[in-house]
Amino acid sequence: MNRTELHESIINNSQVTFARSGGKGGQNVNKVNTKVCLQLPVSAVGGITEEERTLIRTKLAAIINADDCLYLNVDDERYQEMNRKIALARLENRITQALVVPKKRKPTKPTKASKERTLKLKKIRSELKKSRAKVVY
């Protein structure tokens, strides 16, 4: 994955529309289109391979619409330009997070010393419980 190429493709290929927003701004929100609706076709994402593209489709399925576009709404701020910057950064962050493949866990066995410690503690616990039993004469 080429981070700069990914950044450039997001900026160049995303379609940004604006809508009236709820939230901050008081009565001003009823007159000004500050909400940002950002769409980016998955096929237009640059700097990634086809395998990474399919990984994005599976991991980000919740924000991909029927047209195979990544879809994001942002109405955090009162200003359109700030919401636009937030949307672009958020989309780039989501794509890079989706491309991270976690390391596969290698199962390990307990060491001989840890097995011995476990058995020793079990023996101590057993003796303790035996000492609590009622004495029969």
Side-chain angles (χ1 to χ4, degrees):
M1 174 186 73
N2 187 349
R3 184 104 176 171
T4 56
E5 194 175 334
L6 174 69
H7 180 75
E8 291 299 319
S9 72
I10 290 173
I11 290 173
N12 295 333
N13 298 321
S14 59
Q15 300 160 351
V16 181
T17 55
F18 303 100
R20 291 203 175 131
S21 170
K24 298 178 191 172
Q27 293 175 342
N28 197 42
V29 295
N30 301 325
K31 324 183 267 194
V32 182
N33 293 333
T34 57
K35 180 180 180 180
V36 173
C37 305
L38 189 126
Q39 275 191 330
L40 177 68
V42 177
S43 58
V45 178
I48 60 172
T49 63
E50 277 304 313
E51 294 86 35
E52 291 174 328
R53 213 174 297 280
T54 55
L55 193 63
I56 287 173
R57 284 189 179 102
T58 56
K59 284 192 175 179
L60 298 179
I63 62 168
I64 294 179
N65 62 12
D67 301 328
D68 198 35
C69 292
L70 291 159
Y71 192 78
L72 198 66
N73 290 331
V74 176
D75 59 352
D76 297 353
E77 298 295 327
R78 294 182 184 195
Y79 305 104
Q80 190 181 81
E81 189 55 35
M82 288 180 75
N83 282 334
R84 187 175 175 280
K85 286 178 184 175
I86 291 169
L88 290 169
R90 209 173 272 175
L91 186 63
E92 185 177 351
N93 189 28
R94 283 208 176 163
I95 290 171
T96 53
Q97 290 296 315
L99 294 176
V100 173
V101 179
K103 282 186 183 178
K104 188 167 180 166
R105 182 188 171 272
K106 294 180 185 174
T108 58
K109 294 181 181 177
T111 63
K112 189 175 179 181
S114 68
K115 285 181 185 177
E116 288 173 1
R117 273 193 303 272
T118 305
L119 288 173
K120 185 179 176 185
L121 289 172
K122 281 184 169 186
K123 194 73 168 169
I124 292 170
R125 177 66 55 194
S126 169
E127 293 298 325
L128 180 68
K129 288 184 175 186
K130 279 182 189 174
S131 70
R132 292 186 197 142
K134 291 184 180 178
V135 179
V136 181
Y137 294 107

